[in-house]
Amino acid sequence: MIKPGVSIAGLRPEVVFGLAELREVCREFKAPFVVTSGTDGKHGTGSLHYVGLAADLRRTDDPLRPGLPEKMLSAFKQALGAEFDVVLEKDHFHCEFQPK
């Protein structure tokens, strides 16, 4: 699901592929998959969001499943591989395509 008001216009194919992979991980964890930012929003100077190389997902916290965000982060990283960076922020997951 894409949160109302979020723009995915201009997302690079690599990021779209990454989002498809992340959606599958969310399904495995029975967690909602919600894109909360694409090329829209306010981000830091030089953010890869502005060039279509980053997207944010809703963070899932569940008191009945302690440590869920950290487990999902690990699974996200495994699913995407080394060309992606995934970071667990205070209120969301940040995913960017950034080959080393």
Side-chain angles (χ1 to χ4, degrees), residues 25-56:
V25 171
C26 287
R27 282 184 179 163
E28 290 173 19
F29 280 91
K30 296 180 176 36
F33 173 80
V34 181
V35 178
T36 59
S37 183
T39 53
D40 60 303
K42 294 188 187 226
H43 306 280
T45 304
S47 170
L48 295 180
H49 282 275
Y50 298 126
V51 293
L53 289 171
D56 294 336

PDB file of all heavy atoms in Angstrom, residues 25-56:
ATOM      1  N   VAL A  25       8.865  -9.712   2.450  1.00  0.00           N
ATOM      2  CA  VAL A  25       9.344  -9.872   3.825  1.00  0.00           C
ATOM      3  C   VAL A  25       8.234  -9.484   4.801  1.00  0.00           C
ATOM      4  O   VAL A  25       7.993 -10.179   5.792  1.00  0.00           O
ATOM      5  CB  VAL A  25      10.622  -9.039   4.073  1.00  0.00           C
ATOM      6  CG1 VAL A  25      10.999  -9.040   5.555  1.00  0.00           C
ATOM      7  CG2 VAL A  25      11.777  -9.561   3.223  1.00  0.00           C
ATOM      8  N   CYS A  26       7.538  -8.389   4.514  1.00  0.00           N
ATOM      9  CA  CYS A  26       6.432  -7.970   5.390  1.00  0.00           C
ATOM     10  C   CYS A  26       5.363  -9.059   5.458  1.00  0.00           C
ATOM     11  O   CYS A  26       4.821  -9.336   6.540  1.00  0.00           O
ATOM     12  CB  CYS A  26       5.830  -6.657   4.891  1.00  0.00           C
ATOM     13  SG  CYS A  26       6.873  -5.224   5.198  1.00  0.00           S
ATOM     14  N   ARG A  27       5.073  -9.681   4.337  1.00  0.00           N
ATOM     15  CA  ARG A  27       4.089 -10.776   4.331  1.00  0.00           C
ATOM     16  C   ARG A  27       4.543 -11.921   5.237  1.00  0.00           C
ATOM     17  O   ARG A  27       3.745 -12.496   5.972  1.00  0.00           O
ATOM     18  CB  ARG A  27       3.880 -11.301   2.916  1.00  0.00           C
ATOM     19  CG  ARG A  27       3.005 -10.439   2.078  1.00  0.00           C
ATOM     20  CD  ARG A  27       2.758 -11.064   0.735  1.00  0.00           C
ATOM     21  NE  ARG A  27       1.893 -10.210  -0.050  1.00  0.00           N
ATOM     22  CZ  ARG A  27       1.736 -10.300  -1.349  1.00  0.00           C
ATOM     23  NH1 ARG A  27       2.371 -11.239  -2.028  1.00  0.00           N
ATOM     24  NH2 ARG A  27       0.948  -9.479  -1.983  1.00  0.00           N
ATOM     25  N   GLU A  28       5.831 -12.263   5.167  1.00  0.00           N
ATOM     26  CA  GLU A  28       6.360 -13.342   5.997  1.00  0.00           C
ATOM     27  C   GLU A  28       6.191 -13.025   7.485  1.00  0.00           C
ATOM     28  O   GLU A  28       5.941 -13.926   8.285  1.00  0.00           O
ATOM     29  CB  GLU A  28       7.837 -13.576   5.687  1.00  0.00           C
ATOM     30  CG  GLU A  28       8.085 -14.177   4.331  1.00  0.00           C
ATOM     31  CD  GLU A  28       9.558 -14.241   3.967  1.00  0.00           C
ATOM     32  OE1 GLU A  28      10.414 -14.166   4.873  1.00  0.00           O
ATOM     33  OE2 GLU A  28       9.853 -14.355   2.769  1.00  0.00           O
ATOM     34  N   PHE A  29       6.347 -11.753   7.841  1.00  0.00           N
ATOM     35  CA  PHE A  29       6.217 -11.337   9.231  1.00  0.00           C
ATOM     36  C   PHE A  29       4.779 -10.983   9.615  1.00  0.00           C
ATOM     37  O   PHE A  29       4.524 -10.580  10.746  1.00  0.00           O
ATOM     38  CB  PHE A  29       7.126 -10.132   9.515  1.00  0.00           C
ATOM     39  CG  PHE A  29       8.560 -10.501   9.746  1.00  0.00           C
ATOM     40  CD1 PHE A  29       9.468 -10.549   8.700  1.00  0.00           C
ATOM     41  CD2 PHE A  29       9.012 -10.810  11.026  1.00  0.00           C
ATOM     42  CE1 PHE A  29      10.793 -10.887   8.908  1.00  0.00           C
ATOM     43  CE2 PHE A  29      10.335 -11.153  11.247  1.00  0.00           C
ATOM     44  CZ  PHE A  29      11.231 -11.197  10.182  1.00  0.00           C
ATOM     45  N   LYS A  30       3.866 -11.097   8.648  1.00  0.00           N
ATOM     46  CA  LYS A  30       2.472 -10.700   8.868  1.00  0.00           C
ATOM     47  C   LYS A  30       2.394  -9.264   9.389  1.00  0.00           C
ATOM     48  O   LYS A  30       1.665  -8.939  10.323  1.00  0.00           O
ATOM     49  CB  LYS A  30       1.768 -11.672   9.808  1.00  0.00           C
ATOM     50  CG  LYS A  30       1.654 -13.068   9.231  1.00  0.00           C
ATOM     51  CD  LYS A  30       0.967 -14.009  10.169  1.00  0.00           C
ATOM     52  CE  LYS A  30       0.729 -15.394   9.635  1.00  0.00           C
ATOM     53  NZ  LYS A  30       1.661 -16.009   8.781  1.00  0.00           N
ATOM     54  N   ALA A  31       3.185  -8.417   8.740  1.00  0.00           N
ATOM     55  CA  ALA A  31       3.263  -6.996   9.096  1.00  0.00           C
ATOM     56  C   ALA A  31       2.753  -6.173   7.916  1.00  0.00           C
ATOM     57  O   ALA A  31       2.901  -6.569   6.755  1.00  0.00           O
ATOM     58  CB  ALA A  31       4.712  -6.619   9.407  1.00  0.00           C
ATOM     59  N   PRO A  32       2.156  -5.025   8.184  1.00  0.00           N
ATOM     60  CA  PRO A  32       1.674  -4.185   7.080  1.00  0.00           C
ATOM     61  C   PRO A  32       2.830  -3.657   6.238  1.00  0.00           C
ATOM     62  O   PRO A  32       3.919  -3.396   6.746  1.00  0.00           O
ATOM     63  CB  PRO A  32       0.939  -3.042   7.783  1.00  0.00           C
ATOM     64  CG  PRO A  32       1.442  -3.033   9.177  1.00  0.00           C
ATOM     65  CD  PRO A  32       1.905  -4.423   9.489  1.00  0.00           C
ATOM     66  N   PHE A  33       2.571  -3.542   4.944  1.00  0.00           N
ATOM     67  CA  PHE A  33       3.532  -2.956   4.018  1.00  0.00           C
ATOM     68  C   PHE A  33       2.948  -1.619   3.571  1.00  0.00           C
ATOM     69  O   PHE A  33       1.956  -1.589   2.844  1.00  0.00           O
ATOM     70  CB  PHE A  33       3.746  -3.872   2.810  1.00  0.00           C
ATOM     71  CG  PHE A  33       4.594  -3.258   1.727  1.00  0.00           C
ATOM     72  CD1 PHE A  33       5.968  -3.240   1.846  1.00  0.00           C
ATOM     73  CD2 PHE A  33       4.018  -2.699   0.601  1.00  0.00           C
ATOM     74  CE1 PHE A  33       6.765  -2.682   0.855  1.00  0.00           C
ATOM     75  CE2 PHE A  33       4.794  -2.138  -0.392  1.00  0.00           C
ATOM     76  CZ  PHE A  33       6.175  -2.130  -0.260  1.00  0.00           C
ATOM     77  N   VAL A  34       3.529  -0.523   4.058  1.00  0.00           N
ATOM     78  CA  VAL A  34       3.024   0.809   3.727  1.00  0.00           C
ATOM     79  C   VAL A  34       4.208   1.700   3.364  1.00  0.00           C
ATOM     80  O   VAL A  34       5.090   1.940   4.199  1.00  0.00           O
ATOM     81  CB  VAL A  34       2.242   1.440   4.904  1.00  0.00           C
ATOM     82  CG1 VAL A  34       1.715   2.822   4.515  1.00  0.00           C
ATOM     83  CG2 VAL A  34       1.111   0.536   5.360  1.00  0.00           C
ATOM     84  N   VAL A  35       4.228   2.170   2.119  1.00  0.00           N
ATOM     85  CA  VAL A  35       5.251   3.112   1.693  1.00  0.00           C
ATOM     86  C   VAL A  35       4.843   4.483   2.198  1.00  0.00           C
ATOM     87  O   VAL A  35       3.759   4.978   1.871  1.00  0.00           O
ATOM     88  CB  VAL A  35       5.406   3.118   0.152  1.00  0.00           C
ATOM     89  CG1 VAL A  35       6.441   4.147  -0.291  1.00  0.00           C
ATOM     90  CG2 VAL A  35       5.771   1.732  -0.359  1.00  0.00           C
ATOM     91  N   THR A  36       5.688   5.097   3.024  1.00  0.00           N
ATOM     92  CA  THR A  36       5.356   6.390   3.634  1.00  0.00           C
ATOM     93  C   THR A  36       6.069   7.559   2.986  1.00  0.00           C
ATOM     94  O   THR A  36       5.752   8.714   3.265  1.00  0.00           O
ATOM     95  CB  THR A  36       5.667   6.376   5.144  1.00  0.00           C
ATOM     96  OG1 THR A  36       7.054   6.089   5.331  1.00  0.00           O
ATOM     97  CG2 THR A  36       4.821   5.331   5.864  1.00  0.00           C
ATOM     98  N   SER A  37       7.039   7.281   2.122  1.00  0.00           N
ATOM     99  CA  SER A  37       7.718   8.355   1.393  1.00  0.00           C
ATOM    100  C   SER A  37       8.436   7.755   0.193  1.00  0.00           C
ATOM    101  O   SER A  37       9.022   6.677   0.282  1.00  0.00           O
ATOM    102  CB  SER A  37       8.732   9.070   2.294  1.00  0.00           C
ATOM    103  OG  SER A  37       9.326  10.143   1.588  1.00  0.00           O
ATOM    104  N   GLY A  38       8.347   8.462  -0.903  1.00  0.00           N
ATOM    105  CA  GLY A  38       9.071   8.090  -2.120  1.00  0.00           C
ATOM    106  C   GLY A  38       9.933   9.268  -2.525  1.00  0.00           C
ATOM    107  O   GLY A  38      10.907   9.600  -1.857  1.00  0.00           O
ATOM    108  N   THR A  39       9.528   9.914  -3.599  1.00  0.00           N
ATOM    109  CA  THR A  39      10.266  11.093  -4.067  1.00  0.00           C
ATOM    110  C   THR A  39       9.716  12.376  -3.459  1.00  0.00           C
ATOM    111  O   THR A  39      10.185  13.465  -3.786  1.00  0.00           O
ATOM    112  CB  THR A  39      10.217  11.178  -5.604  1.00  0.00           C
ATOM    113  OG1 THR A  39       8.856  11.114  -6.041  1.00  0.00           O
ATOM    114  CG2 THR A  39      10.997  10.033  -6.243  1.00  0.00           C
ATOM    115  N   ASP A  40       8.738  12.246  -2.591  1.00  0.00           N
ATOM    116  CA  ASP A  40       8.101  13.394  -1.951  1.00  0.00           C
ATOM    117  C   ASP A  40       8.736  13.648  -0.586  1.00  0.00           C
ATOM    118  O   ASP A  40       9.645  12.944  -0.165  1.00  0.00           O
ATOM    119  CB  ASP A  40       6.609  13.100  -1.756  1.00  0.00           C
ATOM    120  CG  ASP A  40       6.420  11.873  -0.884  1.00  0.00           C
ATOM    121  OD1 ASP A  40       6.943  10.808  -1.260  1.00  0.00           O
ATOM    122  OD2 ASP A  40       5.792  11.971   0.190  1.00  0.00           O
ATOM    123  N   GLY A  41       8.227  14.628   0.096  1.00  0.00           N
ATOM    124  CA  GLY A  41       8.609  14.892   1.479  1.00  0.00           C
ATOM    125  C   GLY A  41       9.869  15.713   1.643  1.00  0.00           C
ATOM    126  O   GLY A  41      10.500  16.113   0.673  1.00  0.00           O
ATOM    127  N   LYS A  42      10.199  15.956   2.893  1.00  0.00           N
ATOM    128  CA  LYS A  42      11.399  16.725   3.238  1.00  0.00           C
ATOM    129  C   LYS A  42      12.422  15.765   3.812  1.00  0.00           C
ATOM    130  O   LYS A  42      12.130  15.023   4.752  1.00  0.00           O
ATOM    131  CB  LYS A  42      11.066  17.814   4.247  1.00  0.00           C
ATOM    132  CG  LYS A  42      10.141  18.862   3.670  1.00  0.00           C
ATOM    133  CD  LYS A  42       9.979  20.033   4.610  1.00  0.00           C
ATOM    134  CE  LYS A  42       8.906  20.938   4.037  1.00  0.00           C
ATOM    135  NZ  LYS A  42       9.228  22.304   4.023  1.00  0.00           N
ATOM    136  N   HIS A  43      13.596  15.807   3.239  1.00  0.00           N
ATOM    137  CA  HIS A  43      14.680  14.925   3.647  1.00  0.00           C
ATOM    138  C   HIS A  43      15.957  15.747   3.722  1.00  0.00           C
ATOM    139  O   HIS A  43      15.995  16.889   3.274  1.00  0.00           O
ATOM    140  CB  HIS A  43      14.828  13.772   2.650  1.00  0.00           C
ATOM    141  CG  HIS A  43      13.554  13.032   2.423  1.00  0.00           C
ATOM    142  ND1 HIS A  43      13.091  12.086   3.305  1.00  0.00           N
ATOM    143  CD2 HIS A  43      12.626  13.128   1.447  1.00  0.00           C
ATOM    144  CE1 HIS A  43      11.931  11.613   2.858  1.00  0.00           C
ATOM    145  NE2 HIS A  43      11.630  12.232   1.735  1.00  0.00           N
ATOM    146  N   GLY A  44      16.992  15.156   4.252  1.00  0.00           N
ATOM    147  CA  GLY A  44      18.265  15.853   4.386  1.00  0.00           C
ATOM    148  C   GLY A  44      18.871  16.233   3.047  1.00  0.00           C
ATOM    149  O   GLY A  44      18.552  15.652   2.002  1.00  0.00           O
ATOM    150  N   THR A  45      19.750  17.218   3.085  1.00  0.00           N
ATOM    151  CA  THR A  45      20.460  17.645   1.885  1.00  0.00           C
ATOM    152  C   THR A  45      21.171  16.451   1.266  1.00  0.00           C
ATOM    153  O   THR A  45      21.824  15.677   1.962  1.00  0.00           O
ATOM    154  CB  THR A  45      21.493  18.735   2.247  1.00  0.00           C
ATOM    155  OG1 THR A  45      20.803  19.803   2.893  1.00  0.00           O
ATOM    156  CG2 THR A  45      22.207  19.251   1.017  1.00  0.00           C
ATOM    157  N   GLY A  46      21.018  16.298  -0.037  1.00  0.00           N
ATOM    158  CA  GLY A  46      21.667  15.206  -0.738  1.00  0.00           C
ATOM    159  C   GLY A  46      20.950  13.870  -0.606  1.00  0.00           C
ATOM    160  O   GLY A  46      21.474  12.840  -1.020  1.00  0.00           O
ATOM    161  N   SER A  47      19.745  13.867  -0.036  1.00  0.00           N
ATOM    162  CA  SER A  47      18.999  12.632   0.144  1.00  0.00           C
ATOM    163  C   SER A  47      18.751  11.943  -1.192  1.00  0.00           C
ATOM    164  O   SER A  47      18.443  12.596  -2.206  1.00  0.00           O
ATOM    165  CB  SER A  47      17.655  12.920   0.812  1.00  0.00           C
ATOM    166  OG  SER A  47      16.838  11.760   0.789  1.00  0.00           O
ATOM    167  N   LEU A  48      18.859  10.630  -1.189  1.00  0.00           N
ATOM    168  CA  LEU A  48      18.590   9.857  -2.406  1.00  0.00           C
ATOM    169  C   LEU A  48      17.101   9.802  -2.744  1.00  0.00           C
ATOM    170  O   LEU A  48      16.738   9.392  -3.844  1.00  0.00           O
ATOM    171  CB  LEU A  48      19.180   8.459  -2.273  1.00  0.00           C
ATOM    172  CG  LEU A  48      20.704   8.401  -2.185  1.00  0.00           C
ATOM    173  CD1 LEU A  48      21.185   6.962  -2.061  1.00  0.00           C
ATOM    174  CD2 LEU A  48      21.346   9.069  -3.396  1.00  0.00           C
ATOM    175  N   HIS A  49      16.235  10.238  -1.819  1.00  0.00           N
ATOM    176  CA  HIS A  49      14.805  10.333  -2.137  1.00  0.00           C
ATOM    177  C   HIS A  49      14.603  11.264  -3.341  1.00  0.00           C
ATOM    178  O   HIS A  49      13.774  10.972  -4.203  1.00  0.00           O
ATOM    179  CB  HIS A  49      14.015  10.912  -0.950  1.00  0.00           C
ATOM    180  CG  HIS A  49      13.753   9.943   0.142  1.00  0.00           C
ATOM    181  ND1 HIS A  49      12.691   9.069   0.143  1.00  0.00           N
ATOM    182  CD2 HIS A  49      14.410   9.713   1.311  1.00  0.00           C
ATOM    183  CE1 HIS A  49      12.696   8.352   1.246  1.00  0.00           C
ATOM    184  NE2 HIS A  49      13.747   8.722   1.981  1.00  0.00           N
ATOM    185  N   TYR A  50      15.335  12.343  -3.382  1.00  0.00           N
ATOM    186  CA  TYR A  50      15.119  13.364  -4.406  1.00  0.00           C
ATOM    187  C   TYR A  50      15.497  12.903  -5.806  1.00  0.00           C
ATOM    188  O   TYR A  50      15.069  13.503  -6.788  1.00  0.00           O
ATOM    189  CB  TYR A  50      15.889  14.644  -4.050  1.00  0.00           C
ATOM    190  CG  TYR A  50      15.418  15.261  -2.742  1.00  0.00           C
ATOM    191  CD1 TYR A  50      16.313  15.537  -1.721  1.00  0.00           C
ATOM    192  CD2 TYR A  50      14.083  15.559  -2.527  1.00  0.00           C
ATOM    193  CE1 TYR A  50      15.901  16.103  -0.524  1.00  0.00           C
ATOM    194  CE2 TYR A  50      13.652  16.122  -1.331  1.00  0.00           C
ATOM    195  CZ  TYR A  50      14.569  16.385  -0.339  1.00  0.00           C
ATOM    196  OH  TYR A  50      14.144  16.942   0.843  1.00  0.00           O
ATOM    197  N   VAL A  51      16.276  11.836  -5.905  1.00  0.00           N
ATOM    198  CA  VAL A  51      16.670  11.328  -7.218  1.00  0.00           C
ATOM    199  C   VAL A  51      16.081   9.941  -7.477  1.00  0.00           C
ATOM    200  O   VAL A  51      16.539   9.212  -8.359  1.00  0.00           O
ATOM    201  CB  VAL A  51      18.215  11.327  -7.403  1.00  0.00           C
ATOM    202  CG1 VAL A  51      18.737  12.747  -7.446  1.00  0.00           C
ATOM    203  CG2 VAL A  51      18.892  10.511  -6.320  1.00  0.00           C
ATOM    204  N   GLY A  52      15.069   9.575  -6.702  1.00  0.00           N
ATOM    205  CA  GLY A  52      14.350   8.330  -6.931  1.00  0.00           C
ATOM    206  C   GLY A  52      15.063   7.070  -6.491  1.00  0.00           C
ATOM    207  O   GLY A  52      14.717   5.975  -6.935  1.00  0.00           O
ATOM    208  N   LEU A  53      16.044   7.219  -5.616  1.00  0.00           N
ATOM    209  CA  LEU A  53      16.818   6.053  -5.177  1.00  0.00           C
ATOM    210  C   LEU A  53      16.551   5.644  -3.736  1.00  0.00           C
ATOM    211  O   LEU A  53      17.301   4.841  -3.163  1.00  0.00           O
ATOM    212  CB  LEU A  53      18.318   6.323  -5.370  1.00  0.00           C
ATOM    213  CG  LEU A  53      18.787   6.349  -6.820  1.00  0.00           C
ATOM    214  CD1 LEU A  53      20.218   6.833  -6.921  1.00  0.00           C
ATOM    215  CD2 LEU A  53      18.643   4.970  -7.450  1.00  0.00           C
ATOM    216  N   ALA A  54      15.487   6.176  -3.132  1.00  0.00           N
ATOM    217  CA  ALA A  54      15.165   5.828  -1.740  1.00  0.00           C
ATOM    218  C   ALA A  54      13.660   5.869  -1.518  1.00  0.00           C
ATOM    219  O   ALA A  54      12.928   6.596  -2.199  1.00  0.00           O
ATOM    220  CB  ALA A  54      15.866   6.781  -0.780  1.00  0.00           C
ATOM    221  N   ALA A  55      13.243   5.072  -0.552  1.00  0.00           N
ATOM    222  CA  ALA A  55      11.841   5.049  -0.127  1.00  0.00           C
ATOM    223  C   ALA A  55      11.802   4.700   1.353  1.00  0.00           C
ATOM    224  O   ALA A  55      12.744   4.108   1.890  1.00  0.00           O
ATOM    225  CB  ALA A  55      11.047   4.026  -0.938  1.00  0.00           C
ATOM    226  N   ASP A  56      10.720   5.083   2.008  1.00  0.00           N
ATOM    227  CA  ASP A  56      10.528   4.783   3.421  1.00  0.00           C
ATOM    228  C   ASP A  56       9.305   3.889   3.585  1.00  0.00           C
ATOM    229  O   ASP A  56       8.330   4.006   2.831  1.00  0.00           O
ATOM    230  CB  ASP A  56      10.317   6.058   4.236  1.00  0.00           C
ATOM    231  CG  ASP A  56      11.545   6.953   4.268  1.00  0.00           C
ATOM    232  OD1 ASP A  56      12.668   6.448   4.084  1.00  0.00           O
ATOM    233  OD2 ASP A  56      11.373   8.170   4.481  1.00  0.00           O
TER     234      ASP A  56
END
